[in-house]
Amino acid sequence: MKKLKRVFTYLFLSVAAIVSIFPFLWMLVSMTNKSVDVTAGRLIPGTHFIQNLNNLLDQTQIGTALWNSFLIAVITTVLTLLIGSLAGYGFEIYRSKGKDIVFNILILSMMIPFAAIMIPLYRLFGQISADAPLIGLDTLAAAFLPTIITAFFIFFFRQNTKMFARELVEAGRIDGLSEWGIFFRIYMPTMKTTYAAAAIIAFMNSWNNYLWPLVVLQSPEKQTIPLLISNLGAGYTPDYGVIMTAIVIATLPTALVFFLMQRHFVAGMMGSVKG
Amino acid sequence: MSQASSPTHQRTFAQRLRKNYIGWLFIILSVLGISLFYFYPMVQAFLLSLQSGMGSSLEYVGFDNYVRLFNDPTFITALTNTILYLLIQVPVMIVLALVFSVLLNDPTLKFKGFFRTAIFLPAVTSLVAYAVIFKYLFGNDGLVNDFLLGMNIISSPIAWLSDPFWAKITIIIAITWRWTGYNMIFYLSALQNVDKSMYEAARIDGASAMQQFFFITIPLLKPIILFTSIVSTIGTLQLFDEVMNITSGGPGNSTMTISMYIYNLSFEYTPDFGYAATVSYVILILVVILSFIQFRVAGDRD
């Protein structure tokens, strides 16, 4: 009886694992096959990879899209971490009644669905387009500006600051550091793991962001990776080998981040719920 | 009194005031940013929802847009679909994630690391990328039909994407594939903090595995289950990327979600920002109501 249960457990988990992994294997295999072979259901690696890659480079602006996505993700990550940690630190270390009220109001914004503010944001960027063409519609800045300040990261950093030893702040003051000096020279280096976890979340969110870039970026040379893949996938005569190659390239950075920093990755997820 | 005016006390008071002031400097950017990019658009969206017209020629029409919602079949379809996804997908996913985490928490289980990583893996893909892959896998002559036909489970291919019923199922399968492992990680780490002696005591008292699951595991995981179900609810209410890239809302409007309808109203059809803003307020109201209910149902003793 007990053995039977064991067998069943392994069977169940194996099926789950196969279902989870299969799409990954399929895209890796299909990347090396001709489009007709992919449609025919070929599941063994082929020799068409270089051809697919060349076609992808010829037919799409994947290089530009990669660069745009990368640029947006890096700027977003740096600014998100800086602004979010400043606020999280400020709310926790300089705690006061007034700030607690402000904090609770800011946290409410986590409930606001993006679709609910998308149109006013689009109109806002439309209005400033004429005066400030560098951050107006169809600019990379417009694609990341509304995403860099979020209540989630303020909350995340405040939660983690609770574990930061306050004595270090006092010690810094005695050593004659300014309040900003304490933040940049003591807090930041001490909280490296928190920053690493936050960086992973911010980078992945940005790299995968779809709806807002879709709304705000129009010209092909401003495309990000998700927009490019979505366009390829919506084509009437899709070249499956080429699309799979693009998808693998798009998935690679986030998969790498996950495998190299698995510990921080999970820590980042958990950091958002720690009491 | 005399102490209050002593120079040292004055200095510390001044210092405190200065520190408090510096504290505000630390948070000012966030306050401004969230006001500009969340609260201001929220107010704007409300004002917009009271206006009607095409493109930028809008005029105030009071609550006409809100009345229009009730007579708009596309809106009602989108709302029904979204709630349907919510009611089926979120519970299925949470139960699956709980089962996986309990099975993987067994210290005697082999290949634990492999199973955990494999089941979590979908969570690292971009929504658009996996949506496109699912669109192909579930195509009429896609691999899913090939497999089911080959195993003699079905005798003719299922129209996963072009039948209104199966298209919804495909969307639900896709979201479940992407997010189950993600939720499982939360439960696993919560389970690791559970005191093992509790289960031992229960076993000694003769509790079955089922009883242990329902009377120990579930109550202990309640806060984290509440958290994940609120996050999943908010996420599902905003469902867009998958539907857009797997079915584009079709066939007909049978997989259309509220977010997609807002997008279409603003950028696909003749732009009607006023009405789109009205629909967007429905999502906001749903998020607030459902979060509140979930707190009431599950979080009553916290």
Side-chain angles (χ1 to χ4, degrees):
Chain A
M1 178 63 198
K2 208 155 193 185
K3 230 177 191 158
L4 197 75
K5 232 166 87 181
R6 249 296 122 100
V7 171
F8 186 75
T9 303
Y10 280 114
L11 205 68
F12 183 65
L13 288 174
S14 302
V15 170
I18 291 170
V19 169
S20 300
I21 295 178
F22 180 75
F24 290 92
L25 294 179
W26 186 57
M27 76 188 189
L28 284 173
V29 168
S30 302
M31 173 176 83
T32 67
N33 281 321
K34 279 188 211 159
S35 190
V36 279
D37 291 336
V38 178
T39 344
R42 182 182 157 113
L43 291 176
I44 28 176
T47 54
H48 213 64
F49 172 61
I50 300 294
Q51 188 59 47
N52 283 337
L53 193 61
N54 280 333
N55 289 347
L56 179 67
L57 291 170
D58 283 349
Q59 294 161 11
T60 68
Q61 303 196 22
I62 183 130
T64 315
L66 274 172
W67 173 244
N68 290 342
S69 276
F70 181 73
L71 203 65
I72 291 176
V74 169
I75 297 175
T76 304
T77 307
V78 170
L79 292 178
T80 301
L81 262 57
L82 181 67
I83 298 171
S85 63
L86 276 172
Y89 178 88
F91 277 119
E92 188 59 28
I93 299 292
Y94 303 101
R95 201 167 176 178
S96 70
K97 229 184 209 141
K99 290 196 200 76
D100 276 353
I101 295 171
V102 171
F103 178 77
N104 286 329
I105 296 174
L106 294 191
I107 289 304
L108 277 182
S109 71
M110 284 210 268
M111 293 248 269
I112 299 178
F114 182 73
I117 52 173
M118 173 176 84
I119 299 152
L121 277 179
Y122 174 76
R123 284 164 49 101
L124 180 71
F125 279 94
Q127 280 158 10
I128 59 173
S129 274
D131 302 319
L134 285 177
I135 56 170
L137 292 179
D138 206 21
T139 63
L140 296 189
F144 68 74
L145 274 177
T147 67
I148 54 176
I149 302 174
T150 59
F152 171 80
F153 283 100
I154 300 171
F155 180 75
F156 178 84
F157 275 104
R158 182 175 189 173
Q159 289 302 100
N160 283 284
T161 305
K162 287 183 202 288
M163 292 181 306
F164 173 72
R166 253 162 207 282
E167 298 79 55
L168 289 177
V169 179
E170 286 308 323
R173 280 180 192 147
I174 292 165
D175 285 350
L177 279 176
S178 73
E179 297 296 310
W180 301 100
I182 295 170
F183 177 81
F184 285 108
R185 299 221 194 132
I186 301 179
Y187 178 82
M188 274 188 153
T190 322
M191 302 297 280
K192 256 188 262 164
T193 38
T194 302
Y195 277 97
I200 292 172
I201 310 176
F203 186 89
M204 297 221 357
N205 283 351
S206 170
W207 184 263
N208 293 334
N209 195 9
Y210 174 61
L211 178 52
W212 178 240
L214 175 70
V215 166
V216 86
L217 299 176
Q218 281 117 10
S219 44
E221 70 274 10
K222 298 282 164 55
Q223 263 185 358
T224 58
I225 282 288
L227 297 183
L228 181 123
I229 288 182
S230 174
N231 282 343
L232 275 178
Y236 282 109
T237 49
D239 185 322
Y240 295 102
V242 170
I243 295 174
M244 292 302 171
T245 311
I247 289 179
V248 171
I249 291 174
T251 314
L252 226 50
T254 50
L256 270 180
V257 165
F258 169 66
F259 279 111
L260 295 178
M261 307 178 81
Q262 209 163 9
R263 201 167 46 88
H264 292 307
F265 198 95
V266 173
M269 284 171 62
M270 296 309 142
S272 54
V273 277
K274 267 188 297 227
Chain B
M1 271 303 224
S2 63
Q3 239 193 349
S5 54
S6 80
T8 44
H9 194 275
Q10 262 178 7
R11 203 170 62 218
T12 52
F13 180 73
Q15 259 175 1
R16 262 224 315 271
L17 208 68
R18 208 180 106 73
K19 254 181 238 156
N20 190 34
Y21 159 75
I22 288 181
W24 284 105
L25 288 183
F26 272 86
I27 62 179
I28 190 74
L29 260 180
S30 291
V31 173
L32 291 177
I34 289 185
S35 307
L36 178 64
F37 291 128
Y38 287 88
F39 295 132
Y40 170 74
M42 227 37 251
V43 175
Q44 283 293 314
F46 181 69
L47 294 177
L48 260 177
S49 77
L50 304 176
Q51 302 170 55
S52 189
M54 280 171 205
S56 50
S57 57
L58 293 159
E59 56 181 65
Y60 277 91
V61 291
F63 285 93
D64 281 8
N65 283 329
Y66 289 90
V67 177
R68 183 175 154 193
L69 286 175
F70 294 98
N71 304 313
D72 176 356
T74 317
F75 167 72
I76 290 169
T77 310
L79 180 67
T80 322
N81 289 343
T82 307
I83 290 175
L84 199 75
Y85 295 141
L86 196 71
L87 287 179
I88 298 171
Q89 195 271 327
V90 176
V92 166
M93 175 185 70
I94 285 177
V95 169
L96 262 180
L98 272 172
V99 170
F100 288 144
S101 61
V102 169
L103 292 179
L104 289 176
N105 196 43
D106 180 347
T108 61
L109 191 87
K110 289 196 185 86
F111 314 116
K112 227 180 331 195
F114 165 74
F115 285 131
R116 194 181 51 218
T117 308
I119 296 172
F120 180 73
L121 208 54
V124 308
T125 60
S126 108
L127 300 183
V128 173
Y130 98 82
V132 171
I133 292 206
F134 267 69
K135 177 171 142 183
Y136 297 149
L137 282 175
F138 283 82
N140 244 342
D141 38 12
L143 283 178
V144 172
N145 271 337
D146 284 357
F147 174 77
L148 293 176
L149 286 167
M151 299 286 280
N152 279 322
I153 296 172
I154 52 172
S155 53
S156 59
I158 294 175
W160 291 105
L161 302 178
S162 46
D163 178 84
F165 171 76
W166 289 111
K168 288 189 193 65
I169 301 286
T170 307
I171 301 283
I172 290 172
I173 294 175
I175 315 169
T176 309
W177 180 84
R178 171 66 169 75
W179 293 102
T180 302
Y182 178 84
N183 286 293
M184 175 191 77
I185 293 293
F186 285 98
Y187 304 147
L188 258 180
S189 84
L191 280 174
Q192 268 147 22
N193 298 329
V194 170
D195 190 358
K196 300 272 182 303
S197 61
M198 259 181 165
Y199 289 98
E200 233 143 81
R203 259 197 301 273
I204 292 166
D205 287 347
S208 69
M210 273 297 183
Q211 282 170 326
Q212 288 173 37
F213 180 75
F214 283 110
F215 295 110
I216 302 180
T217 311
I218 297 283
L220 282 174
L221 292 190
K222 213 161 115 180
I224 191 81
I225 295 176
L226 172 69
F227 170 81
T228 51
S229 57
I230 289 179
V231 171
S232 303
T233 302
I234 296 178
T236 309
L237 283 176
Q238 303 188 57
L239 193 62
F240 178 81
D241 301 16
E242 288 90 338
V243 180
M244 181 79 172
N245 287 292
I246 298 178
T247 60
S248 314
N253 290 325
S254 62
T255 52
M256 174 82 74
T257 62
I258 308 181
S259 283
M260 221 187 132
Y261 189 42
I262 296 170
Y263 178 82
N264 285 350
L265 280 172
S266 317
F267 305 108
E268 291 286 312
Y269 314 151
T270 323
D272 188 344
F273 291 131
Y275 187 52
T278 313
V279 178
S280 72
Y281 253 78
V282 175
I283 296 198
L284 179 75
I285 292 164
L286 281 176
V287 167
V288 173
I289 292 177
L290 288 174
S291 303
F292 182 73
I293 291 177
Q294 282 168 333
F295 259 114
R296 265 339 243 310
V297 170
D300 44 13
R301 274 175 299 275
D302 290 328

